[in-house]
Amino acid sequence: MKTLVLLGIVGLVAQLVDGSLGMAYGVTSTTLLLAIGTNPASASATVHLAEIGTTLASGASHWRFGNVDWKVVLKIGIPGAVGAFAGATFLSWLSTELAAPVMSLILLGLGLYLLIRFTLRGLDSRNLGKPLRKRFLAPLGLVGGFLDATGGGGWGPVGTPALLASGRIEPRKVIGSIDTSEFLVALAASLGFLFALGSQGIDFAWVGVLLLGGLIAAPIAAWLVRHIPPRVLGSAVGGVIILTNTRTLLRSDWIAASNTVQVIAYIAIAAVWIAAVWYSVRRHLAERDVGGPVLDKANNPAPEPAALEKDEPAAETA
């Protein structure tokens, strides 16, 4: 009973984070299942079965709050489903131990880029609204779906930073579209696992409580992402990516860091992350108070409201 309650809480928290930041449901849930002795294939299958329901609820909630770009959903979701089915089918003999550090290194670079970009510059609107090309979205979906199925999570960590880095779609729609397209990935991965494994090793009670927790959190997360400023959201996502992928690298055979080194690294990253989010919040409030960005398109200081007020009487007198 304690295990079921714990899984329900994990499902709720994981979906709250996933629905708000576009990642972490699969990674969080799979990590717990592996920690209690579930084999990798069964853990991933259990999580993906639960995700069929949670991603459907999350997608509906994001759609309700206007956070979904349906063209992006189809262009990335269908290739993602193909990759997920292939990853689930071949998980029994395919090892991702060597690939994981490489992918984590790439994602770490993307996370650093996002954290610096959104913290210091905010949302770059120069490319905002430009269409995302299929030749970019299709390979991204294929790789993300494959890694998601074989690693028990990866759709959000791969897709979210890549779409954010493009600068062509605002953060809330990146997260909403990634969460919505994940329904196709979860469905395809589940079919692949059932085809390869049957129902062996899958505890449907665990699936149920993970699903229940996720269903409760989905509408709350969709509401949150609509109201969090893009600048703050970008800084928050960047920090999550850096922290999770640093953890993977430190624990890999490449580094094999001691527990002491890991703790020091986590504390340092957390401190920088908190400072970045705090700075983003302050900059957002400053921009809101002056009615727009503090810097104009040429990166020149915006005129002070007081200066504008002083000029008005002179203009009227003339």
PDB file of all heavy atoms in Angstrom, residues 198-239:
ATOM      1  N   GLY A 198       4.632  -8.758 -24.148  1.00  0.00           N
ATOM      2  CA  GLY A 198       3.319  -9.099 -23.617  1.00  0.00           C
ATOM      3  C   GLY A 198       3.065  -8.255 -22.373  1.00  0.00           C
ATOM      4  O   GLY A 198       3.554  -7.133 -22.263  1.00  0.00           O
ATOM      5  N   SER A 199       2.355  -8.798 -21.426  1.00  0.00           N
ATOM      6  CA  SER A 199       2.103  -8.057 -20.172  1.00  0.00           C
ATOM      7  C   SER A 199       3.046  -8.505 -19.061  1.00  0.00           C
ATOM      8  O   SER A 199       2.862  -8.135 -17.900  1.00  0.00           O
ATOM      9  CB  SER A 199       0.650  -8.264 -19.730  1.00  0.00           C
ATOM     10  OG  SER A 199       0.388  -9.649 -19.521  1.00  0.00           O
ATOM     11  N   GLN A 200       4.067  -9.276 -19.418  1.00  0.00           N
ATOM     12  CA  GLN A 200       5.003  -9.792 -18.437  1.00  0.00           C
ATOM     13  C   GLN A 200       5.758  -8.660 -17.744  1.00  0.00           C
ATOM     14  O   GLN A 200       6.311  -7.784 -18.382  1.00  0.00           O
ATOM     15  CB  GLN A 200       6.007 -10.727 -19.119  1.00  0.00           C
ATOM     16  CG  GLN A 200       7.029 -11.345 -18.161  1.00  0.00           C
ATOM     17  CD  GLN A 200       8.019 -12.234 -18.906  1.00  0.00           C
ATOM     18  OE1 GLN A 200       7.951 -12.355 -20.122  1.00  0.00           O
ATOM     19  NE2 GLN A 200       8.926 -12.852 -18.166  1.00  0.00           N
ATOM     20  N   GLY A 201       5.755  -8.681 -16.428  1.00  0.00           N
ATOM     21  CA  GLY A 201       6.505  -7.707 -15.646  1.00  0.00           C
ATOM     22  C   GLY A 201       5.807  -6.374 -15.446  1.00  0.00           C
ATOM     23  O   GLY A 201       6.339  -5.489 -14.778  1.00  0.00           O
ATOM     24  N   ILE A 202       4.603  -6.213 -16.028  1.00  0.00           N
ATOM     25  CA  ILE A 202       3.876  -4.955 -15.887  1.00  0.00           C
ATOM     26  C   ILE A 202       2.846  -5.085 -14.772  1.00  0.00           C
ATOM     27  O   ILE A 202       1.979  -5.959 -14.810  1.00  0.00           O
ATOM     28  CB  ILE A 202       3.175  -4.561 -17.202  1.00  0.00           C
ATOM     29  CG1 ILE A 202       4.203  -4.412 -18.328  1.00  0.00           C
ATOM     30  CG2 ILE A 202       2.383  -3.273 -17.018  1.00  0.00           C
ATOM     31  CD1 ILE A 202       3.580  -4.146 -19.687  1.00  0.00           C
ATOM     32  N   ASP A 203       2.938  -4.248 -13.757  1.00  0.00           N
ATOM     33  CA  ASP A 203       1.981  -4.219 -12.656  1.00  0.00           C
ATOM     34  C   ASP A 203       0.945  -3.135 -12.971  1.00  0.00           C
ATOM     35  O   ASP A 203       1.241  -1.936 -12.894  1.00  0.00           O
ATOM     36  CB  ASP A 203       2.697  -3.917 -11.332  1.00  0.00           C
ATOM     37  CG  ASP A 203       1.797  -4.120 -10.124  1.00  0.00           C
ATOM     38  OD1 ASP A 203       0.594  -3.798 -10.229  1.00  0.00           O
ATOM     39  OD2 ASP A 203       2.283  -4.586  -9.078  1.00  0.00           O
ATOM     40  N   PHE A 204      -0.271  -3.560 -13.308  1.00  0.00           N
ATOM     41  CA  PHE A 204      -1.277  -2.593 -13.745  1.00  0.00           C
ATOM     42  C   PHE A 204      -1.807  -1.744 -12.595  1.00  0.00           C
ATOM     43  O   PHE A 204      -2.377  -0.674 -12.832  1.00  0.00           O
ATOM     44  CB  PHE A 204      -2.417  -3.319 -14.465  1.00  0.00           C
ATOM     45  CG  PHE A 204      -2.020  -3.810 -15.835  1.00  0.00           C
ATOM     46  CD1 PHE A 204      -1.588  -5.125 -16.013  1.00  0.00           C
ATOM     47  CD2 PHE A 204      -2.043  -2.963 -16.935  1.00  0.00           C
ATOM     48  CE1 PHE A 204      -1.208  -5.579 -17.262  1.00  0.00           C
ATOM     49  CE2 PHE A 204      -1.668  -3.404 -18.187  1.00  0.00           C
ATOM     50  CZ  PHE A 204      -1.246  -4.716 -18.357  1.00  0.00           C
ATOM     51  N   ALA A 205      -1.607  -2.181 -11.364  1.00  0.00           N
ATOM     52  CA  ALA A 205      -1.942  -1.326 -10.221  1.00  0.00           C
ATOM     53  C   ALA A 205      -0.988  -0.130 -10.174  1.00  0.00           C
ATOM     54  O   ALA A 205      -1.401   1.001  -9.888  1.00  0.00           O
ATOM     55  CB  ALA A 205      -1.865  -2.130  -8.923  1.00  0.00           C
ATOM     56  N   TRP A 206       0.284  -0.375 -10.463  1.00  0.00           N
ATOM     57  CA  TRP A 206       1.270   0.716 -10.512  1.00  0.00           C
ATOM     58  C   TRP A 206       0.920   1.677 -11.650  1.00  0.00           C
ATOM     59  O   TRP A 206       1.020   2.897 -11.498  1.00  0.00           O
ATOM     60  CB  TRP A 206       2.672   0.154 -10.716  1.00  0.00           C
ATOM     61  CG  TRP A 206       3.194  -0.618  -9.535  1.00  0.00           C
ATOM     62  CD1 TRP A 206       2.514  -0.937  -8.394  1.00  0.00           C
ATOM     63  CD2 TRP A 206       4.503  -1.156  -9.388  1.00  0.00           C
ATOM     64  NE1 TRP A 206       3.313  -1.650  -7.544  1.00  0.00           N
ATOM     65  CE2 TRP A 206       4.545  -1.805  -8.129  1.00  0.00           C
ATOM     66  CE3 TRP A 206       5.640  -1.177 -10.187  1.00  0.00           C
ATOM     67  CZ2 TRP A 206       5.689  -2.444  -7.656  1.00  0.00           C
ATOM     68  CZ3 TRP A 206       6.775  -1.809  -9.725  1.00  0.00           C
ATOM     69  CH2 TRP A 206       6.793  -2.440  -8.464  1.00  0.00           C
ATOM     70  N   VAL A 207       0.529   1.114 -12.793  1.00  0.00           N
ATOM     71  CA  VAL A 207       0.119   1.957 -13.920  1.00  0.00           C
ATOM     72  C   VAL A 207      -1.044   2.853 -13.505  1.00  0.00           C
ATOM     73  O   VAL A 207      -1.061   4.060 -13.798  1.00  0.00           O
ATOM     74  CB  VAL A 207      -0.298   1.082 -15.128  1.00  0.00           C
ATOM     75  CG1 VAL A 207      -0.883   1.951 -16.236  1.00  0.00           C
ATOM     76  CG2 VAL A 207       0.885   0.278 -15.653  1.00  0.00           C
ATOM     77  N   GLY A 208      -1.992   2.281 -12.778  1.00  0.00           N
ATOM     78  CA  GLY A 208      -3.183   3.021 -12.369  1.00  0.00           C
ATOM     79  C   GLY A 208      -2.880   4.190 -11.445  1.00  0.00           C
ATOM     80  O   GLY A 208      -3.413   5.295 -11.632  1.00  0.00           O
ATOM     81  N   VAL A 209      -2.029   3.973 -10.444  1.00  0.00           N
ATOM     82  CA  VAL A 209      -1.755   5.057  -9.497  1.00  0.00           C
ATOM     83  C   VAL A 209      -0.872   6.139 -10.124  1.00  0.00           C
ATOM     84  O   VAL A 209      -1.029   7.336  -9.829  1.00  0.00           O
ATOM     85  CB  VAL A 209      -1.116   4.522  -8.194  1.00  0.00           C
ATOM     86  CG1 VAL A 209      -2.107   3.676  -7.427  1.00  0.00           C
ATOM     87  CG2 VAL A 209       0.162   3.745  -8.458  1.00  0.00           C
ATOM     88  N   LEU A 210       0.061   5.738 -10.991  1.00  0.00           N
ATOM     89  CA  LEU A 210       0.843   6.739 -11.729  1.00  0.00           C
ATOM     90  C   LEU A 210      -0.071   7.593 -12.602  1.00  0.00           C
ATOM     91  O   LEU A 210       0.072   8.817 -12.683  1.00  0.00           O
ATOM     92  CB  LEU A 210       1.900   6.060 -12.599  1.00  0.00           C
ATOM     93  CG  LEU A 210       3.160   5.531 -11.917  1.00  0.00           C
ATOM     94  CD1 LEU A 210       3.992   4.710 -12.899  1.00  0.00           C
ATOM     95  CD2 LEU A 210       4.007   6.668 -11.347  1.00  0.00           C
ATOM     96  N   LEU A 211      -1.032   6.928 -13.238  1.00  0.00           N
ATOM     97  CA  LEU A 211      -1.989   7.622 -14.089  1.00  0.00           C
ATOM     98  C   LEU A 211      -2.856   8.583 -13.279  1.00  0.00           C
ATOM     99  O   LEU A 211      -3.077   9.731 -13.670  1.00  0.00           O
ATOM    100  CB  LEU A 211      -2.859   6.602 -14.815  1.00  0.00           C
ATOM    101  CG  LEU A 211      -4.043   7.146 -15.630  1.00  0.00           C
ATOM    102  CD1 LEU A 211      -3.552   8.100 -16.707  1.00  0.00           C
ATOM    103  CD2 LEU A 211      -4.829   5.989 -16.247  1.00  0.00           C
ATOM    104  N   LEU A 212      -3.328   8.127 -12.127  1.00  0.00           N
ATOM    105  CA  LEU A 212      -4.194   8.955 -11.290  1.00  0.00           C
ATOM    106  C   LEU A 212      -3.489  10.233 -10.842  1.00  0.00           C
ATOM    107  O   LEU A 212      -4.050  11.329 -10.924  1.00  0.00           O
ATOM    108  CB  LEU A 212      -4.649   8.159 -10.064  1.00  0.00           C
ATOM    109  CG  LEU A 212      -5.563   8.901  -9.074  1.00  0.00           C
ATOM    110  CD1 LEU A 212      -6.860   9.332  -9.769  1.00  0.00           C
ATOM    111  CD2 LEU A 212      -5.870   8.016  -7.862  1.00  0.00           C
ATOM    112  N   GLY A 213      -2.259  10.082 -10.378  1.00  0.00           N
ATOM    113  CA  GLY A 213      -1.493  11.260  -9.964  1.00  0.00           C
ATOM    114  C   GLY A 213      -1.299  12.233 -11.112  1.00  0.00           C
ATOM    115  O   GLY A 213      -1.432  13.456 -10.945  1.00  0.00           O
ATOM    116  N   GLY A 214      -1.006  11.698 -12.304  1.00  0.00           N
ATOM    117  CA  GLY A 214      -0.803  12.548 -13.469  1.00  0.00           C
ATOM    118  C   GLY A 214      -2.067  13.261 -13.902  1.00  0.00           C
ATOM    119  O   GLY A 214      -2.024  14.435 -14.315  1.00  0.00           O
ATOM    120  N   LEU A 215      -3.221  12.591 -13.815  1.00  0.00           N
ATOM    121  CA  LEU A 215      -4.487  13.202 -14.210  1.00  0.00           C
ATOM    122  C   LEU A 215      -4.846  14.384 -13.311  1.00  0.00           C
ATOM    123  O   LEU A 215      -5.401  15.388 -13.769  1.00  0.00           O
ATOM    124  CB  LEU A 215      -5.614  12.157 -14.167  1.00  0.00           C
ATOM    125  CG  LEU A 215      -5.549  11.050 -15.227  1.00  0.00           C
ATOM    126  CD1 LEU A 215      -6.676  10.053 -15.020  1.00  0.00           C
ATOM    127  CD2 LEU A 215      -5.623  11.650 -16.635  1.00  0.00           C
ATOM    128  N   ILE A 216      -4.512  14.267 -12.036  1.00  0.00           N
ATOM    129  CA  ILE A 216      -4.793  15.365 -11.098  1.00  0.00           C
ATOM    130  C   ILE A 216      -3.929  16.584 -11.423  1.00  0.00           C
ATOM    131  O   ILE A 216      -4.389  17.736 -11.381  1.00  0.00           O
ATOM    132  CB  ILE A 216      -4.548  14.910  -9.647  1.00  0.00           C
ATOM    133  CG1 ILE A 216      -5.556  13.823  -9.258  1.00  0.00           C
ATOM    134  CG2 ILE A 216      -4.636  16.090  -8.674  1.00  0.00           C
ATOM    135  CD1 ILE A 216      -5.268  13.175  -7.926  1.00  0.00           C
ATOM    136  N   ALA A 217      -2.669  16.337 -11.780  1.00  0.00           N
ATOM    137  CA  ALA A 217      -1.723  17.433 -11.982  1.00  0.00           C
ATOM    138  C   ALA A 217      -1.819  18.091 -13.352  1.00  0.00           C
ATOM    139  O   ALA A 217      -1.433  19.258 -13.508  1.00  0.00           O
ATOM    140  CB  ALA A 217      -0.296  16.922 -11.768  1.00  0.00           C
ATOM    141  N   ALA A 218      -2.322  17.387 -14.375  1.00  0.00           N
ATOM    142  CA  ALA A 218      -2.284  17.883 -15.757  1.00  0.00           C
ATOM    143  C   ALA A 218      -2.922  19.260 -15.939  1.00  0.00           C
ATOM    144  O   ALA A 218      -2.292  20.166 -16.512  1.00  0.00           O
ATOM    145  CB  ALA A 218      -2.918  16.859 -16.699  1.00  0.00           C
ATOM    146  N   PRO A 219      -4.167  19.484 -15.504  1.00  0.00           N
ATOM    147  CA  PRO A 219      -4.759  20.826 -15.721  1.00  0.00           C
ATOM    148  C   PRO A 219      -4.068  21.925 -14.931  1.00  0.00           C
ATOM    149  O   PRO A 219      -3.992  23.073 -15.381  1.00  0.00           O
ATOM    150  CB  PRO A 219      -6.213  20.635 -15.269  1.00  0.00           C
ATOM    151  CG  PRO A 219      -6.207  19.447 -14.371  1.00  0.00           C
ATOM    152  CD  PRO A 219      -5.122  18.557 -14.889  1.00  0.00           C
ATOM    153  N   ILE A 220      -3.536  21.585 -13.750  1.00  0.00           N
ATOM    154  CA  ILE A 220      -2.821  22.587 -12.941  1.00  0.00           C
ATOM    155  C   ILE A 220      -1.569  23.035 -13.669  1.00  0.00           C
ATOM    156  O   ILE A 220      -1.267  24.230 -13.750  1.00  0.00           O
ATOM    157  CB  ILE A 220      -2.459  22.000 -11.556  1.00  0.00           C
ATOM    158  CG1 ILE A 220      -3.718  21.550 -10.814  1.00  0.00           C
ATOM    159  CG2 ILE A 220      -1.693  23.025 -10.727  1.00  0.00           C
ATOM    160  CD1 ILE A 220      -3.432  20.795  -9.533  1.00  0.00           C
ATOM    161  N   ALA A 221      -0.823  22.075 -14.226  1.00  0.00           N
ATOM    162  CA  ALA A 221       0.419  22.390 -14.941  1.00  0.00           C
ATOM    163  C   ALA A 221       0.140  23.220 -16.184  1.00  0.00           C
ATOM    164  O   ALA A 221       0.879  24.164 -16.496  1.00  0.00           O
ATOM    165  CB  ALA A 221       1.146  21.100 -15.309  1.00  0.00           C
ATOM    166  N   ALA A 222      -0.922  22.893 -16.914  1.00  0.00           N
ATOM    167  CA  ALA A 222      -1.255  23.648 -18.129  1.00  0.00           C
ATOM    168  C   ALA A 222      -1.625  25.089 -17.793  1.00  0.00           C
ATOM    169  O   ALA A 222      -1.299  26.016 -18.553  1.00  0.00           O
ATOM    170  CB  ALA A 222      -2.411  22.969 -18.862  1.00  0.00           C
ATOM    171  N   TRP A 223      -2.283  25.293 -16.681  1.00  0.00           N
ATOM    172  CA  TRP A 223      -2.614  26.662 -16.240  1.00  0.00           C
ATOM    173  C   TRP A 223      -1.348  27.423 -15.851  1.00  0.00           C
ATOM    174  O   TRP A 223      -1.185  28.597 -16.206  1.00  0.00           O
ATOM    175  CB  TRP A 223      -3.570  26.607 -15.063  1.00  0.00           C
ATOM    176  CG  TRP A 223      -3.941  27.965 -14.528  1.00  0.00           C
ATOM    177  CD1 TRP A 223      -4.931  28.784 -14.970  1.00  0.00           C
ATOM    178  CD2 TRP A 223      -3.299  28.661 -13.444  1.00  0.00           C
ATOM    179  NE1 TRP A 223      -4.943  29.952 -14.238  1.00  0.00           N
ATOM    180  CE2 TRP A 223      -3.961  29.908 -13.297  1.00  0.00           C
ATOM    181  CE3 TRP A 223      -2.237  28.363 -12.601  1.00  0.00           C
ATOM    182  CZ2 TRP A 223      -3.591  30.833 -12.335  1.00  0.00           C
ATOM    183  CZ3 TRP A 223      -1.863  29.284 -11.633  1.00  0.00           C
ATOM    184  CH2 TRP A 223      -2.529  30.500 -11.502  1.00  0.00           C
ATOM    185  N   LEU A 224      -0.440  26.749 -15.151  1.00  0.00           N
ATOM    186  CA  LEU A 224       0.790  27.390 -14.708  1.00  0.00           C
ATOM    187  C   LEU A 224       1.631  27.878 -15.881  1.00  0.00           C
ATOM    188  O   LEU A 224       2.144  29.000 -15.879  1.00  0.00           O
ATOM    189  CB  LEU A 224       1.625  26.420 -13.858  1.00  0.00           C
ATOM    190  CG  LEU A 224       1.210  26.213 -12.407  1.00  0.00           C
ATOM    191  CD1 LEU A 224       2.042  25.114 -11.768  1.00  0.00           C
ATOM    192  CD2 LEU A 224       1.343  27.511 -11.614  1.00  0.00           C
ATOM    193  N   VAL A 225       1.785  27.014 -16.904  1.00  0.00           N
ATOM    194  CA  VAL A 225       2.686  27.348 -18.014  1.00  0.00           C
ATOM    195  C   VAL A 225       2.157  28.532 -18.817  1.00  0.00           C
ATOM    196  O   VAL A 225       2.917  29.265 -19.442  1.00  0.00           O
ATOM    197  CB  VAL A 225       2.906  26.113 -18.920  1.00  0.00           C
ATOM    198  CG1 VAL A 225       1.707  25.862 -19.816  1.00  0.00           C
ATOM    199  CG2 VAL A 225       4.154  26.284 -19.768  1.00  0.00           C
ATOM    200  N   ARG A 226       0.843  28.755 -18.799  1.00  0.00           N
ATOM    201  CA  ARG A 226       0.265  29.903 -19.508  1.00  0.00           C
ATOM    202  C   ARG A 226       0.550  31.210 -18.788  1.00  0.00           C
ATOM    203  O   ARG A 226       0.581  32.276 -19.404  1.00  0.00           O
ATOM    204  CB  ARG A 226      -1.237  29.711 -19.689  1.00  0.00           C
ATOM    205  CG  ARG A 226      -1.885  30.832 -20.485  1.00  0.00           C
ATOM    206  CD  ARG A 226      -3.319  30.523 -20.827  1.00  0.00           C
ATOM    207  NE  ARG A 226      -3.940  31.640 -21.537  1.00  0.00           N
ATOM    208  CZ  ARG A 226      -3.821  31.880 -22.834  1.00  0.00           C
ATOM    209  NH1 ARG A 226      -3.092  31.061 -23.573  1.00  0.00           N
ATOM    210  NH2 ARG A 226      -4.412  32.911 -23.399  1.00  0.00           N
ATOM    211  N   HIS A 227       0.752  31.138 -17.478  1.00  0.00           N
ATOM    212  CA  HIS A 227       0.897  32.344 -16.688  1.00  0.00           C
ATOM    213  C   HIS A 227       2.340  32.643 -16.270  1.00  0.00           C
ATOM    214  O   HIS A 227       2.616  33.701 -15.725  1.00  0.00           O
ATOM    215  CB  HIS A 227       0.005  32.265 -15.440  1.00  0.00           C
ATOM    216  CG  HIS A 227      -1.463  32.341 -15.765  1.00  0.00           C
ATOM    217  ND1 HIS A 227      -2.183  31.247 -16.185  1.00  0.00           N
ATOM    218  CD2 HIS A 227      -2.330  33.388 -15.752  1.00  0.00           C
ATOM    219  CE1 HIS A 227      -3.443  31.607 -16.407  1.00  0.00           C
ATOM    220  NE2 HIS A 227      -3.554  32.895 -16.151  1.00  0.00           N
ATOM    221  N   ILE A 228       3.253  31.704 -16.492  1.00  0.00           N
ATOM    222  CA  ILE A 228       4.658  31.954 -16.180  1.00  0.00           C
ATOM    223  C   ILE A 228       5.279  32.735 -17.341  1.00  0.00           C
ATOM    224  O   ILE A 228       5.146  32.332 -18.493  1.00  0.00           O
ATOM    225  CB  ILE A 228       5.429  30.633 -15.968  1.00  0.00           C
ATOM    226  CG1 ILE A 228       4.838  29.849 -14.790  1.00  0.00           C
ATOM    227  CG2 ILE A 228       6.906  30.917 -15.699  1.00  0.00           C
ATOM    228  CD1 ILE A 228       5.472  28.486 -14.595  1.00  0.00           C
ATOM    229  N   PRO A 229       5.955  33.865 -17.088  1.00  0.00           N
ATOM    230  CA  PRO A 229       6.564  34.647 -18.166  1.00  0.00           C
ATOM    231  C   PRO A 229       7.561  33.816 -18.963  1.00  0.00           C
ATOM    232  O   PRO A 229       8.295  33.001 -18.395  1.00  0.00           O
ATOM    233  CB  PRO A 229       7.280  35.783 -17.417  1.00  0.00           C
ATOM    234  CG  PRO A 229       6.583  35.875 -16.102  1.00  0.00           C
ATOM    235  CD  PRO A 229       6.155  34.480 -15.766  1.00  0.00           C
ATOM    236  N   PRO A 230       7.616  33.991 -20.307  1.00  0.00           N
ATOM    237  CA  PRO A 230       8.537  33.208 -21.146  1.00  0.00           C
ATOM    238  C   PRO A 230       9.982  33.277 -20.684  1.00  0.00           C
ATOM    239  O   PRO A 230      10.698  32.280 -20.724  1.00  0.00           O
ATOM    240  CB  PRO A 230       8.359  33.836 -22.534  1.00  0.00           C
ATOM    241  CG  PRO A 230       6.996  34.417 -22.511  1.00  0.00           C
ATOM    242  CD  PRO A 230       6.779  34.892 -21.102  1.00  0.00           C
ATOM    243  N   ARG A 231      10.439  34.463 -20.267  1.00  0.00           N
ATOM    244  CA  ARG A 231      11.826  34.620 -19.839  1.00  0.00           C
ATOM    245  C   ARG A 231      12.115  33.739 -18.630  1.00  0.00           C
ATOM    246  O   ARG A 231      13.142  33.053 -18.562  1.00  0.00           O
ATOM    247  CB  ARG A 231      12.102  36.080 -19.505  1.00  0.00           C
ATOM    248  CG  ARG A 231      13.539  36.331 -19.115  1.00  0.00           C
ATOM    249  CD  ARG A 231      13.809  37.827 -18.988  1.00  0.00           C
ATOM    250  NE  ARG A 231      15.229  38.095 -19.085  1.00  0.00           N
ATOM    251  CZ  ARG A 231      15.755  39.213 -19.572  1.00  0.00           C
ATOM    252  NH1 ARG A 231      14.967  40.168 -20.013  1.00  0.00           N
ATOM    253  NH2 ARG A 231      17.060  39.369 -19.620  1.00  0.00           N
ATOM    254  N   VAL A 232      11.211  33.755 -17.660  1.00  0.00           N
ATOM    255  CA  VAL A 232      11.387  32.959 -16.441  1.00  0.00           C
ATOM    256  C   VAL A 232      11.290  31.475 -16.768  1.00  0.00           C
ATOM    257  O   VAL A 232      12.065  30.654 -16.264  1.00  0.00           O
ATOM    258  CB  VAL A 232      10.335  33.354 -15.386  1.00  0.00           C
ATOM    259  CG1 VAL A 232      10.475  32.499 -14.138  1.00  0.00           C
ATOM    260  CG2 VAL A 232      10.465  34.838 -15.039  1.00  0.00           C
ATOM    261  N   LEU A 233      10.343  31.129 -17.634  1.00  0.00           N
ATOM    262  CA  LEU A 233      10.158  29.730 -18.019  1.00  0.00           C
ATOM    263  C   LEU A 233      11.391  29.187 -18.727  1.00  0.00           C
ATOM    264  O   LEU A 233      11.832  28.063 -18.469  1.00  0.00           O
ATOM    265  CB  LEU A 233       8.935  29.619 -18.936  1.00  0.00           C
ATOM    266  CG  LEU A 233       8.375  28.219 -19.183  1.00  0.00           C
ATOM    267  CD1 LEU A 233       7.950  27.561 -17.888  1.00  0.00           C
ATOM    268  CD2 LEU A 233       7.202  28.299 -20.149  1.00  0.00           C
ATOM    269  N   GLY A 234      11.990  29.990 -19.615  1.00  0.00           N
ATOM    270  CA  GLY A 234      13.195  29.559 -20.319  1.00  0.00           C
ATOM    271  C   GLY A 234      14.356  29.318 -19.373  1.00  0.00           C
ATOM    272  O   GLY A 234      15.092  28.335 -19.508  1.00  0.00           O
ATOM    273  N   SER A 235      14.533  30.209 -18.389  1.00  0.00           N
ATOM    274  CA  SER A 235      15.591  30.026 -17.391  1.00  0.00           C
ATOM    275  C   SER A 235      15.353  28.769 -16.558  1.00  0.00           C
ATOM    276  O   SER A 235      16.284  28.026 -16.242  1.00  0.00           O
ATOM    277  CB  SER A 235      15.675  31.256 -16.480  1.00  0.00           C
ATOM    278  OG  SER A 235      16.030  32.408 -17.203  1.00  0.00           O
ATOM    279  N   ALA A 236      14.093  28.542 -16.194  1.00  0.00           N
ATOM    280  CA  ALA A 236      13.756  27.367 -15.380  1.00  0.00           C
ATOM    281  C   ALA A 236      14.023  26.072 -16.143  1.00  0.00           C
ATOM    282  O   ALA A 236      14.603  25.118 -15.607  1.00  0.00           O
ATOM    283  CB  ALA A 236      12.295  27.435 -14.942  1.00  0.00           C
ATOM    284  N   VAL A 237      13.622  26.021 -17.422  1.00  0.00           N
ATOM    285  CA  VAL A 237      13.845  24.828 -18.238  1.00  0.00           C
ATOM    286  C   VAL A 237      15.334  24.574 -18.423  1.00  0.00           C
ATOM    287  O   VAL A 237      15.812  23.439 -18.316  1.00  0.00           O
ATOM    288  CB  VAL A 237      13.151  24.976 -19.611  1.00  0.00           C
ATOM    289  CG1 VAL A 237      13.560  23.838 -20.535  1.00  0.00           C
ATOM    290  CG2 VAL A 237      11.649  24.982 -19.442  1.00  0.00           C
ATOM    291  N   GLY A 238      16.093  25.641 -18.695  1.00  0.00           N
ATOM    292  CA  GLY A 238      17.541  25.491 -18.868  1.00  0.00           C
ATOM    293  C   GLY A 238      18.194  24.882 -17.643  1.00  0.00           C
ATOM    294  O   GLY A 238      19.057  24.005 -17.751  1.00  0.00           O
ATOM    295  N   GLY A 239      17.778  25.323 -16.462  1.00  0.00           N
ATOM    296  CA  GLY A 239      18.333  24.783 -15.223  1.00  0.00           C
ATOM    297  C   GLY A 239      18.021  23.311 -15.031  1.00  0.00           C
ATOM    298  O   GLY A 239      18.870  22.532 -14.591  1.00  0.00           O
TER     299      GLY A 239
END
